[in-house]
Amino acid sequence: MRNQNAFRGGAYSLTISVVVLAILLVLNIFVSALPAAVTRYDISASKLYSITSNTKAVVNALEQDVTIYWVVQSGQEDSTDTYSADDVYFTQRSGKNLPLDTSRVESYLQSITNLNPVNYVSYNVTDEELQTYGLDAPELTITVDYTTEDGEETADTFVLYVSPDPEDVNAAEEAEDGDQEADISAYIRVGESQIVYKVSSGSYKKLAAAAYNDLRHPEAFWADFSDVQQLDISLEGNNYTLTAEKDGDARTWAYQEKNELEIADLQSALEALIAEEFTDEQPAQKEEIGLTISLDNENFPQVEIQLYRYDGSRCLAVVDGEGVSLVERTAVVGLIEAVHAIVLD
């Protein structure tokens, strides 16, 4: 009888153990299926595995009042530094405030906001490791001044140090296939934090695209065309003047006796002058077409654009006397054809 009771007790314990193991297995499968944001908790005493409070603050506060490379919001609709009311970010170069493309700047800020470093390479970085990672003299330092409004307004500064992985850089330099773009990852550090992260090549490219040419307007002319009130065009030794009369928000265009011109093709051709490459070169060949664009803007009444031959596929765009960019020759031909369609029709 005693053996039978013992057998029953053992069987019962075995059954309970099997049930518990089954429950744990199912629970483990369920937890492993949850997103990482739900399951990743840092229970270390010093929070070594957590993104710092500075990082969280900048992610939550990068909506406005951001400074990158002396980029500032002007708050002025008619700035003397630009002819477009849409320009609210500027960079300071050689004592001048130069307008930046709003969408490009905000896209760059978004790349910082969306940065989610989770690949830790050091939790307590040493000076020797900083040198190994290239962070002793980082390639890029991003400083963001921001203001939070969580109960009361608080101003703070966020600094991000970025340096490409030296091993990836060396491998790229030694690679035989020069036509293939190298995959170069990067190390980043937030302020004086002891934590160093590694980010992907894609994240590094987005962070590194912070130079003036990365953020400036790619168009040779980027104002709202509704602000244009006159076009003076020089083409093949001839001069043509197109004028616009404003009626409310609309403008009616005229050339000589031709009233109510259809201007859409000319507008599209002008807006299609997009930089393939920025340059400060001066023209060395023949002018293809020149335009003086008069604007309904007291602070910025005119913009002059000349387009010169450069090579077989590109033309040099000179804006207000300064070389700016190389644009596709086909775009310049399209502009010339749009002008011919009006003045020779």
Side-chain angles (χ1 to χ4, degrees), residues 12 26 33 50 80 92 112 118 135 143 146 150 156 189 215 230 244-245 250 261 282 287 294 308 310 323 326:
Y12 178 78
V26 171
S50 296
T80 57
Q92 194 176 75
I112 299 175
V118 294
L135 288 171
T143 302
Y146 64 93
D150 47 354
D156 205 345
R189 183 188 187 195
L215 301 175
Q230 182 169 308
E245 293 292 332
L261 285 174
Q282 288 298 307
E287 179 184 285
S294 299
Y308 294 86
Y310 184 79
L326 301 178

Side-chain angles (χ1 to χ4, degrees), residues 7-323:
F7 175 79
R8 288 177 179 175
Y12 178 78
S13 298
L14 179 60
T15 302
I16 293 297
S17 299
V18 171
V19 170
V20 170
L21 286 173
I23 292 173
L24 290 174
L25 179 61
V26 171
L27 182 61
N28 185 59
I29 294 172
F30 173 77
V31 171
S32 65
L34 290 174
V38 176
T39 60
R40 188 186 295 122
Y41 290 97
D42 182 3
I43 58 174
S44 60
S46 57
K47 299 296 182 184
L48 289 177
Y49 304 98
S50 296
I51 297 176
T52 65
S53 58
N54 278 346
T55 305
K56 293 178 181 178
V58 76
V59 168
N60 292 327
L62 279 177
E63 295 297 329
Q64 56 185 0
D65 299 321
V66 177
T67 301
I68 301 175
Y69 272 75
W70 288 93
V71 179
V72 295
Q73 287 189 309
S74 71
Q76 302 176 12
E77 291 189 359
D78 295 315
S79 169
T80 57
D81 300 315
T82 182
Y83 48 71
S84 175
D86 293 333
D87 290 340
V88 293
Y89 297 102
F90 297 81
T91 184
Q92 194 176 75
R93 292 170 63 88
S94 302
K96 296 180 180 179
N97 284 332
L98 302 179
L100 300 176
D101 186 299
T102 300
S103 63
R104 286 188 166 196
V105 173
E106 292 183 348
S107 176
Y108 183 78
L109 297 179
Q110 199 64 35
S111 70
I112 299 175
T113 302
N114 292 336
L115 187 65
N116 183 28
V118 294
N119 186 8
Y120 305 86
V121 295
S122 178
Y123 310 118
N124 191 17
V125 68
T126 63
D127 290 342
E128 184 179 353
E129 286 176 324
L130 285 176
Q131 187 173 3
T132 300
Y133 301 142
L135 288 171
D136 56 327
E139 176 192 74
L140 175 65
T141 300
I142 303 170
T143 302
V144 181
D145 297 325
Y146 64 93
T147 302
T148 60
E149 294 183 3
D150 47 354
E152 63 181 75
E153 193 171 288
T154 304
D156 205 345
T157 298
F158 166 81
V159 181
L160 184 67
Y161 299 108
V162 183
S163 191
D165 183 343
E167 292 185 2
D168 287 353
V169 173
N170 290 336
E173 291 175 350
E174 295 172 1
E176 295 181 1
D177 189 356
D179 294 332
Q180 185 175 357
E181 190 173 1
D183 265 346
I184 298 178
S185 56
Y187 296 104
I188 66 172
R189 183 188 187 195
V190 180
E192 298 303 311
S193 169
Q194 293 300 103
I195 301 175
V196 172
Y197 309 89
K198 191 169 188 180
V199 296
S200 67
S201 172
S203 294
Y204 168 58
K205 287 176 185 176
K206 290 178 180 179
L207 291 173
Y212 173 47
N213 285 348
D214 295 311
L215 301 175
R216 67 192 291 187
H217 286 278
E219 308 92 344
F221 178 74
W222 61 86
D224 188 335
F225 196 80
S226 64
D227 291 335
V228 179
Q229 56 187 10
Q230 182 169 308
L231 287 170
D232 293 294
I233 303 167
S234 62
L235 177 60
E236 298 169 351
N238 298 307
N239 297 312
Y240 309 99
T241 297
L242 282 62
T243 58
E245 293 292 332
K246 193 169 184 179
D247 183 12
D249 292 334
R251 289 189 183 273
T252 302
W253 284 87
Y255 169 66
Q256 294 181 346
E257 294 83 15
K258 303 175 186 177
N259 295 314
E260 298 188 8
L261 285 174
E262 177 55 55
I263 203 77
D265 288 346
L266 179 56
Q267 175 184 344
S268 297
L270 180 59
E271 293 171 347
L273 300 174
I274 305 294
E276 280 196 334
E277 177 185 337
F278 291 106
T279 180
D280 57 3
E281 292 185 56
Q282 288 298 307
Q285 300 190 51
K286 176 185 174 183
E287 179 184 285
E288 296 277 25
I289 184 172
L291 303 96
T292 299
I293 305 170
S294 299
L295 300 168
D296 186 11
N297 186 318
E298 292 182 0
N299 294 319
F300 220 115
Q302 281 189 342
V303 179
E304 292 189 358
I305 299 176
Q306 282 82 39
L307 296 153
Y308 294 86
R309 291 181 184 176
Y310 184 79
D311 57 28
S313 61
R314 297 175 297 177
C315 289
L316 171 66
V318 175
V319 180
D320 292 335
E322 296 184 4

